[in-house]
Amino acid sequence: MDVTLGPDEVLQLIRKLQTNGSSVSKKQVKQSHPELMRNALFYFPSWEHAIKNAEI
């Protein structure tokens, strides 16, 4: 598994998607930003955990 983003970068990208009004649904992100999804699941137990951490 290639980890190309750090945990802070993952959270930053999730926040950026949210502020731009893009969908952060798991299915949508998996299709449009597969690298973000892979990295998020490397650092967090689930996509939902990554989103919750991005909101803090």
Side-chain angles (χ1 to χ4, degrees), residues 33-53:
H33 300 87
E35 183 181 359
L36 172 59
M37 180 63 69
R38 275 194 308 276
N39 284 277
L41 294 178
F42 179 81
Y43 293 111
F44 301 97
S46 70
W47 178 245
E48 290 73 25
H49 275 84
I51 298 221
K52 281 188 176 146
N53 278 284

Side-chain angles (χ1 to χ4, degrees), residues 13-32:
L13 286 170
I14 292 172
R15 285 187 203 111
K16 191 174 180 181
L17 286 175
Q18 290 173 323
T19 55
N20 289 343
S22 300
S23 172
V24 289
S25 75
K26 187 174 184 176
K27 185 177 182 179
Q28 186 65 39
V29 174
K30 208 173 197 178
Q31 289 177 346
S32 58

